[in-house]
PDB file of all heavy atoms in Angstrom:
ATOM      1  N   PRO A 417       0.891   1.865  17.047  1.00 94.00           N
ATOM      2  CA  PRO A 417       1.601   3.092  16.726  1.00 94.00           C
ATOM      3  C   PRO A 417       3.077   3.033  17.109  1.00 94.00           C
ATOM      4  O   PRO A 417       3.420   2.511  18.190  1.00 94.00           O
ATOM      5  CB  PRO A 417       0.874   4.170  17.535  1.00 94.00           C
ATOM      6  CG  PRO A 417      -0.480   3.602  17.800  1.00 94.00           C
ATOM      7  CD  PRO A 417      -0.272   2.112  17.916  1.00 94.00           C
ATOM      8  N   LEU A 418       3.909   3.563  16.252  1.00 94.00           N
ATOM      9  CA  LEU A 418       5.326   3.751  16.572  1.00 94.00           C
ATOM     10  C   LEU A 418       5.536   5.027  17.351  1.00 94.00           C
ATOM     11  O   LEU A 418       6.435   5.159  18.136  1.00 94.00           O
ATOM     12  CB  LEU A 418       6.156   3.778  15.289  1.00 94.00           C
ATOM     13  CG  LEU A 418       6.172   2.507  14.453  1.00 94.00           C
ATOM     14  CD1 LEU A 418       6.862   2.753  13.140  1.00 94.00           C
ATOM     15  CD2 LEU A 418       6.858   1.382  15.220  1.00 94.00           C
ATOM     16  N   VAL A 419       4.674   6.020  17.061  1.00 96.00           N
ATOM     17  CA  VAL A 419       4.730   7.325  17.734  1.00 96.00           C
ATOM     18  C   VAL A 419       3.292   7.787  17.963  1.00 96.00           C
ATOM     19  O   VAL A 419       2.414   7.572  17.143  1.00 96.00           O
ATOM     20  CB  VAL A 419       5.553   8.340  16.929  1.00 96.00           C
ATOM     21  CG1 VAL A 419       4.893   8.689  15.606  1.00 96.00           C
ATOM     22  CG2 VAL A 419       5.866   9.588  17.713  1.00 96.00           C
ATOM     23  N   CYS A 420       3.058   8.419  19.096  1.00 96.00           N
ATOM     24  CA  CYS A 420       1.717   8.930  19.477  1.00 96.00           C
ATOM     25  C   CYS A 420       1.823  10.451  19.651  1.00 96.00           C
ATOM     26  O   CYS A 420       2.909  10.997  19.803  1.00 96.00           O
ATOM     27  CB  CYS A 420       1.268   8.272  20.780  1.00 96.00           C
ATOM     28  SG  CYS A 420       0.918   6.516  20.578  1.00 96.00           S
ATOM     29  N   PRO A 421       0.680  11.125  19.653  1.00 97.00           N
ATOM     30  CA  PRO A 421       0.698  12.572  19.851  1.00 97.00           C
ATOM     31  C   PRO A 421       1.459  12.948  21.131  1.00 97.00           C
ATOM     32  O   PRO A 421       1.269  12.353  22.167  1.00 97.00           O
ATOM     33  CB  PRO A 421      -0.768  12.940  19.976  1.00 97.00           C
ATOM     34  CG  PRO A 421      -1.501  11.887  19.229  1.00 97.00           C
ATOM     35  CD  PRO A 421      -0.696  10.603  19.502  1.00 97.00           C
ATOM     36  N   GLY A 422       2.324  13.950  20.979  1.00 97.00           N
ATOM     37  CA  GLY A 422       3.116  14.440  22.116  1.00 97.00           C
ATOM     38  C   GLY A 422       4.482  13.794  22.226  1.00 97.00           C
ATOM     39  O   GLY A 422       5.280  14.217  23.040  1.00 97.00           O
ATOM     40  N   GLU A 423       4.738  12.755  21.435  1.00 97.00           N
ATOM     41  CA  GLU A 423       6.041  12.082  21.499  1.00 97.00           C
ATOM     42  C   GLU A 423       6.989  12.621  20.411  1.00 97.00           C
ATOM     43  O   GLU A 423       6.557  13.025  19.340  1.00 97.00           O
ATOM     44  CB  GLU A 423       5.867  10.576  21.328  1.00 97.00           C
ATOM     45  CG  GLU A 423       5.112   9.935  22.483  1.00 97.00           C
ATOM     46  CD  GLU A 423       4.900   8.461  22.322  1.00 97.00           C
ATOM     47  OE1 GLU A 423       4.989   7.941  21.206  1.00 97.00           O
ATOM     48  OE2 GLU A 423       4.614   7.817  23.331  1.00 97.00           O
ATOM     49  N   ARG A 424       8.268  12.599  20.736  1.00 97.00           N
ATOM     50  CA  ARG A 424       9.285  13.077  19.797  1.00 97.00           C
ATOM     51  C   ARG A 424       9.606  11.983  18.768  1.00 97.00           C
ATOM     52  O   ARG A 424       9.818  10.854  19.125  1.00 97.00           O
ATOM     53  CB  ARG A 424      10.543  13.478  20.560  1.00 97.00           C
ATOM     54  CG  ARG A 424      11.407  14.444  19.780  1.00 97.00           C
ATOM     55  CD  ARG A 424      12.425  15.126  20.672  1.00 97.00           C
ATOM     56  NE  ARG A 424      11.897  15.950  21.734  1.00 97.00           N
ATOM     57  CZ  ARG A 424      11.465  17.190  21.593  1.00 97.00           C
ATOM     58  NH1 ARG A 424      11.458  17.747  20.391  1.00 97.00           N
ATOM     59  NH2 ARG A 424      11.032  17.886  22.635  1.00 97.00           N
ATOM     60  N   VAL A 425       9.649  12.365  17.513  1.00 97.00           N
ATOM     61  CA  VAL A 425       9.921  11.428  16.420  1.00 97.00           C
ATOM     62  C   VAL A 425      11.427  11.148  16.351  1.00 97.00           C
ATOM     63  O   VAL A 425      12.225  12.076  16.307  1.00 97.00           O
ATOM     64  CB  VAL A 425       9.450  12.010  15.063  1.00 97.00           C
ATOM     65  CG1 VAL A 425       9.693  11.060  13.927  1.00 97.00           C
ATOM     66  CG2 VAL A 425       7.949  12.374  15.135  1.00 97.00           C
ATOM     67  N   THR A 426      11.776   9.864  16.358  1.00 96.00           N
ATOM     68  CA  THR A 426      13.182   9.460  16.311  1.00 96.00           C
ATOM     69  C   THR A 426      13.555   9.018  14.920  1.00 96.00           C
ATOM     70  O   THR A 426      12.714   8.750  14.070  1.00 96.00           O
ATOM     71  CB  THR A 426      13.442   8.299  17.280  1.00 96.00           C
ATOM     72  OG1 THR A 426      12.721   7.147  16.833  1.00 96.00           O
ATOM     73  CG2 THR A 426      13.044   8.655  18.716  1.00 96.00           C
ATOM     74  N   GLY A 427      14.864   8.885  14.704  1.00 94.00           N
ATOM     75  CA  GLY A 427      15.361   8.385  13.416  1.00 94.00           C
ATOM     76  C   GLY A 427      14.890   6.998  13.104  1.00 94.00           C
ATOM     77  O   GLY A 427      14.581   6.668  11.962  1.00 94.00           O
ATOM     78  N   GLU A 428      14.825   6.130  14.106  1.00 94.00           N
ATOM     79  CA  GLU A 428      14.354   4.747  13.924  1.00 94.00           C
ATOM     80  C   GLU A 428      12.884   4.746  13.480  1.00 94.00           C
ATOM     81  O   GLU A 428      12.515   3.970  12.596  1.00 94.00           O
ATOM     82  CB  GLU A 428      14.538   3.958  15.210  1.00 94.00           C
ATOM     83  CG  GLU A 428      13.954   2.551  15.169  1.00 94.00           C
ATOM     84  CD  GLU A 428      14.653   1.613  14.182  1.00 94.00           C
ATOM     85  OE1 GLU A 428      15.765   1.932  13.714  1.00 94.00           O
ATOM     86  OE2 GLU A 428      14.056   0.575  13.839  1.00 94.00           O
ATOM     87  N   ILE A 429      12.067   5.558  14.093  1.00 94.00           N
ATOM     88  CA  ILE A 429      10.656   5.628  13.710  1.00 94.00           C
ATOM     89  C   ILE A 429      10.559   6.116  12.245  1.00 94.00           C
ATOM     90  O   ILE A 429       9.798   5.540  11.473  1.00 94.00           O
ATOM     91  CB  ILE A 429       9.877   6.567  14.661  1.00 94.00           C
ATOM     92  CG1 ILE A 429       9.771   5.927  16.026  1.00 94.00           C
ATOM     93  CG2 ILE A 429       8.504   6.928  14.099  1.00 94.00           C
ATOM     94  CD1 ILE A 429       9.299   6.855  17.123  1.00 94.00           C
ATOM     95  N   LEU A 430      11.303   7.130  11.918  1.00 94.00           N
ATOM     96  CA  LEU A 430      11.271   7.634  10.539  1.00 94.00           C
ATOM     97  C   LEU A 430      11.724   6.568   9.536  1.00 94.00           C
ATOM     98  O   LEU A 430      11.110   6.413   8.479  1.00 94.00           O
ATOM     99  CB  LEU A 430      12.157   8.858  10.391  1.00 94.00           C
ATOM    100  CG  LEU A 430      11.605  10.127  10.996  1.00 94.00           C
ATOM    101  CD1 LEU A 430      12.626  11.253  10.858  1.00 94.00           C
ATOM    102  CD2 LEU A 430      10.308  10.506  10.361  1.00 94.00           C
ATOM    103  N   ARG A 431      12.757   5.834   9.883  1.00 93.00           N
ATOM    104  CA  ARG A 431      13.261   4.776   8.995  1.00 93.00           C
ATOM    105  C   ARG A 431      12.155   3.759   8.699  1.00 93.00           C
ATOM    106  O   ARG A 431      11.926   3.414   7.569  1.00 93.00           O
ATOM    107  CB  ARG A 431      14.458   4.077   9.621  1.00 93.00           C
ATOM    108  CG  ARG A 431      15.104   3.051   8.717  1.00 93.00           C
ATOM    109  CD  ARG A 431      16.239   2.327   9.389  1.00 93.00           C
ATOM    110  NE  ARG A 431      15.801   1.489  10.492  1.00 93.00           N
ATOM    111  CZ  ARG A 431      15.190   0.315  10.368  1.00 93.00           C
ATOM    112  NH1 ARG A 431      14.911  -0.150   9.173  1.00 93.00           N
ATOM    113  NH2 ARG A 431      14.819  -0.368  11.428  1.00 93.00           N
ATOM    114  N   ARG A 432      11.441   3.350   9.769  1.00 92.00           N
ATOM    115  CA  ARG A 432      10.379   2.372   9.588  1.00 92.00           C
ATOM    116  C   ARG A 432       9.207   2.950   8.754  1.00 92.00           C
ATOM    117  O   ARG A 432       8.645   2.259   7.922  1.00 92.00           O
ATOM    118  CB  ARG A 432       9.885   1.857  10.919  1.00 92.00           C
ATOM    119  CG  ARG A 432      10.949   0.995  11.582  1.00 92.00           C
ATOM    120  CD  ARG A 432      10.433   0.409  12.848  1.00 92.00           C
ATOM    121  NE  ARG A 432      11.505  -0.350  13.505  1.00 92.00           N
ATOM    122  CZ  ARG A 432      11.306  -1.415  14.219  1.00 92.00           C
ATOM    123  NH1 ARG A 432      10.092  -1.873  14.437  1.00 92.00           N
ATOM    124  NH2 ARG A 432      12.314  -2.020  14.797  1.00 92.00           N
ATOM    125  N   LEU A 433       8.850   4.211   9.007  1.00 94.00           N
ATOM    126  CA  LEU A 433       7.747   4.804   8.269  1.00 94.00           C
ATOM    127  C   LEU A 433       8.112   5.012   6.805  1.00 94.00           C
ATOM    128  O   LEU A 433       7.326   4.796   5.905  1.00 94.00           O
ATOM    129  CB  LEU A 433       7.349   6.142   8.892  1.00 94.00           C
ATOM    130  CG  LEU A 433       6.640   6.056  10.247  1.00 94.00           C
ATOM    131  CD1 LEU A 433       6.425   7.442  10.837  1.00 94.00           C
ATOM    132  CD2 LEU A 433       5.323   5.318  10.127  1.00 94.00           C
ATOM    133  N   MET A 434       9.354   5.443   6.553  1.00 93.00           N
ATOM    134  CA  MET A 434       9.782   5.707   5.161  1.00 93.00           C
ATOM    135  C   MET A 434       9.965   4.397   4.381  1.00 93.00           C
ATOM    136  O   MET A 434       9.755   4.398   3.162  1.00 93.00           O
ATOM    137  CB  MET A 434      11.038   6.564   5.151  1.00 93.00           C
ATOM    138  CG  MET A 434      10.762   7.971   5.611  1.00 93.00           C
ATOM    139  SD  MET A 434      12.055   9.190   5.299  1.00 93.00           S
ATOM    140  CE  MET A 434      13.419   8.604   6.227  1.00 93.00           C
ATOM    141  N   ASN A 435      10.331   3.308   5.057  1.00 91.00           N
ATOM    142  CA  ASN A 435      10.538   2.035   4.380  1.00 91.00           C
ATOM    143  C   ASN A 435       9.226   1.320   4.048  1.00 91.00           C
ATOM    144  O   ASN A 435       9.208   0.426   3.227  1.00 91.00           O
ATOM    145  CB  ASN A 435      11.436   1.104   5.175  1.00 91.00           C
ATOM    146  CG  ASN A 435      12.876   1.557   5.147  1.00 91.00           C
ATOM    147  OD1 ASN A 435      13.306   2.309   4.273  1.00 91.00           O
ATOM    148  ND2 ASN A 435      13.655   1.118   6.101  1.00 91.00           N
ATOM    149  N   ALA A 436       8.148   1.716   4.725  1.00 89.00           N
ATOM    150  CA  ALA A 436       6.855   1.080   4.500  1.00 89.00           C
ATOM    151  C   ALA A 436       6.172   1.756   3.302  1.00 89.00           C
ATOM    152  O   ALA A 436       6.305   2.947   3.065  1.00 89.00           O
ATOM    153  CB  ALA A 436       5.959   1.225   5.739  1.00 89.00           C
ATOM    154  N   LYS A 437       5.409   0.948   2.556  1.00 85.00           N
ATOM    155  CA  LYS A 437       4.655   1.498   1.446  1.00 85.00           C
ATOM    156  C   LYS A 437       3.425   2.239   2.042  1.00 85.00           C
ATOM    157  O   LYS A 437       3.045   1.987   3.161  1.00 85.00           O
ATOM    158  CB  LYS A 437       4.180   0.354   0.536  1.00 85.00           C
ATOM    159  CG  LYS A 437       5.318  -0.389  -0.097  1.00 85.00           C
ATOM    160  CD  LYS A 437       4.784  -1.569  -0.860  1.00 85.00           C
ATOM    161  CE  LYS A 437       5.959  -2.402  -1.357  1.00 85.00           C
ATOM    162  NZ  LYS A 437       5.582  -3.777  -1.603  1.00 85.00           N
ATOM    163  N   ASN A 438       2.834   3.117   1.242  1.00 83.00           N
ATOM    164  CA  ASN A 438       1.688   3.911   1.725  1.00 83.00           C
ATOM    165  C   ASN A 438       0.587   3.033   2.295  1.00 83.00           C
ATOM    166  O   ASN A 438      -0.022   3.387   3.305  1.00 83.00           O
ATOM    167  CB  ASN A 438       1.123   4.807   0.619  1.00 83.00           C
ATOM    168  CG  ASN A 438       1.950   6.055   0.448  1.00 83.00           C
ATOM    169  OD1 ASN A 438       2.652   6.476   1.349  1.00 83.00           O
ATOM    170  ND2 ASN A 438       1.902   6.652  -0.728  1.00 83.00           N
ATOM    171  N   GLN A 439       0.281   1.902   1.676  1.00 84.00           N
ATOM    172  CA  GLN A 439      -0.815   1.064   2.137  1.00 84.00           C
ATOM    173  C   GLN A 439      -0.435   0.269   3.391  1.00 84.00           C
ATOM    174  O   GLN A 439      -1.277  -0.359   3.989  1.00 84.00           O
ATOM    175  CB  GLN A 439      -1.323   0.142   1.035  1.00 84.00           C
ATOM    176  CG  GLN A 439      -0.331  -0.924   0.593  1.00 84.00           C
ATOM    177  CD  GLN A 439       0.552  -0.468  -0.570  1.00 84.00           C
ATOM    178  OE1 GLN A 439       0.737   0.720  -0.796  1.00 84.00           O
ATOM    179  NE2 GLN A 439       1.112  -1.416  -1.292  1.00 84.00           N
ATOM    180  N   GLU A 440       0.856   0.314   3.793  1.00 89.00           N
ATOM    181  CA  GLU A 440       1.302  -0.398   4.978  1.00 89.00           C
ATOM    182  C   GLU A 440       1.471   0.488   6.184  1.00 89.00           C
ATOM    183  O   GLU A 440       1.900   0.045   7.224  1.00 89.00           O
ATOM    184  CB  GLU A 440       2.626  -1.099   4.680  1.00 89.00           C
ATOM    185  CG  GLU A 440       2.545  -2.163   3.640  1.00 89.00           C
ATOM    186  CD  GLU A 440       3.918  -2.720   3.250  1.00 89.00           C
ATOM    187  OE1 GLU A 440       4.970  -2.082   3.597  1.00 89.00           O
ATOM    188  OE2 GLU A 440       3.973  -3.803   2.664  1.00 89.00           O
ATOM    189  N   ARG A 441       1.157   1.753   6.055  1.00 93.00           N
ATOM    190  CA  ARG A 441       1.358   2.676   7.199  1.00 93.00           C
ATOM    191  C   ARG A 441       0.116   3.510   7.446  1.00 93.00           C
ATOM    192  O   ARG A 441      -0.715   3.691   6.564  1.00 93.00           O
ATOM    193  CB  ARG A 441       2.587   3.560   6.978  1.00 93.00           C
ATOM    194  CG  ARG A 441       2.510   4.433   5.756  1.00 93.00           C
ATOM    195  CD  ARG A 441       3.837   5.118   5.498  1.00 93.00           C
ATOM    196  NE  ARG A 441       3.736   5.979   4.358  1.00 93.00           N
ATOM    197  CZ  ARG A 441       4.751   6.510   3.737  1.00 93.00           C
ATOM    198  NH1 ARG A 441       5.976   6.248   4.141  1.00 93.00           N
ATOM    199  NH2 ARG A 441       4.576   7.294   2.707  1.00 93.00           N
TER     200      ARG A 441
END
């Protein structure tokens, strides 16, 4: 996991999640 429950979502985490295809996340 890049982020777990209770953690604040960062721009870097979002960048990685948005750049991944649905089947890769």
Side-chain angles (χ1 to χ4, degrees):
L418 296 172
V419 65
C420 292
E423 294 178 341
R424 202 165 298 278
V425 180
T426 65
E428 174 65 16
I429 290 168
L430 285 178
R431 184 183 66 76
R432 290 185 184 211
L433 290 174
M434 290 193 298
N435 286 341
K437 297 175 187 156
N438 280 338
Q439 66 270 22
E440 296 173 344
R441 60 188 182 193

